Amino acid sequence: MMPFAILWPTFALVALIVLIWFWLLFERGRHIKANPPTAESFATSEAALRYFEPVEMPANNFRNLFEMPVLYFAIVPLLMITHQANHVQVILAWAYVILRAVHSFIHIVVRKVPLRALVYWLSSAALMAMWIGFAVDIASASARYQHATTMIEITR
């Protein structure tokens, strides 16, 4: 496998985040045009939340994309630096990103909380599998390294 294969699902997740950001901007812009704000609309953070409440699903989802995905964005460079971005990790990365895209669609369009929760838990399981696999691979590599250095010392 090419060492950079793990970057393709990462690019896809970044594209999803940008798409949701544009969706958010479009919905808010449309809302502002249809319902021109007053000074009171933004007098407090609570007032601003009330003003944008009808179009807040994209904003809520956008915030979600900076919660658990932080763990995804943390593991990708670690996988690359340690040369642990293997086939399994790439498959899990694609599963995570696809499930996050499905989660975003359900969150913004379908709006079915039980279905969204299921997809959220599945995506979280894929991400946790990436971290557990990484920990196991690093422990194994560490043990092999320790064994190799011990053998070198013995032969001296």
Side-chain angles (χ1 to χ4, degrees):
M1 169 160 284
M2 291 179 33
F4 297 111
I6 194 78
L7 291 177
W8 294 113
T10 306
F11 293 145
L13 185 56
V14 170
L16 173 65
I17 292 168
V18 170
L19 174 71
I20 299 302
W21 179 60
F22 277 118
W23 195 333
L24 163 64
L25 293 176
F26 174 79
E27 289 294 328
R28 283 187 173 175
R30 194 169 56 85
H31 181 71
I32 289 169
K33 194 173 202 174
N35 307 288
T38 63
E40 292 81 33
S41 299
F42 298 105
T44 65
S45 58
E46 292 82 18
L49 286 173
R50 277 192 307 276
Y51 175 75
F52 282 121
E53 196 274 328
V55 292
E56 275 306 283
M57 281 306 181
N60 293 340
N61 189 257
F62 188 68
R63 276 189 296 280
N64 285 171
L65 290 170
F66 289 96
E67 293 171 355
M68 287 298 278
V70 167
L71 294 174
Y72 175 83
F73 287 121
I75 197 169
V76 168
L78 292 171
L79 289 168
M80 292 181 71
I81 290 166
T82 60
H83 303 283
Q84 301 299 321
N86 57 40
H87 288 85
V88 173
Q89 290 289 11
V90 172
I91 290 167
L92 287 168
W94 274 117
Y96 178 73
V97 171
I98 290 166
L99 287 164
R100 287 307 307 205
V102 171
H103 176 269
S104 291
F105 179 77
I106 294 167
H107 193 173
I108 298 170
V109 178
V110 178
R111 298 185 181 194
K112 301 281 186 200
V113 174
L115 182 59
R116 189 176 97 212
L118 173 64
V119 173
Y120 171 82
W121 286 111
L122 291 172
S123 72
S124 295
L127 183 58
M128 290 307 106
M130 289 179 74
W131 275 99
I132 292 166
F134 178 60
V136 168
D137 289 345
I138 290 300
S140 174
S142 178
R144 286 192 311 272
Y145 176 80
Q146 184 66 29
H147 177 73
T149 56
T150 302
M151 294 309 290
I152 290 170
E153 289 176 13
I154 290 173
T155 59
R156 287 186 181 168

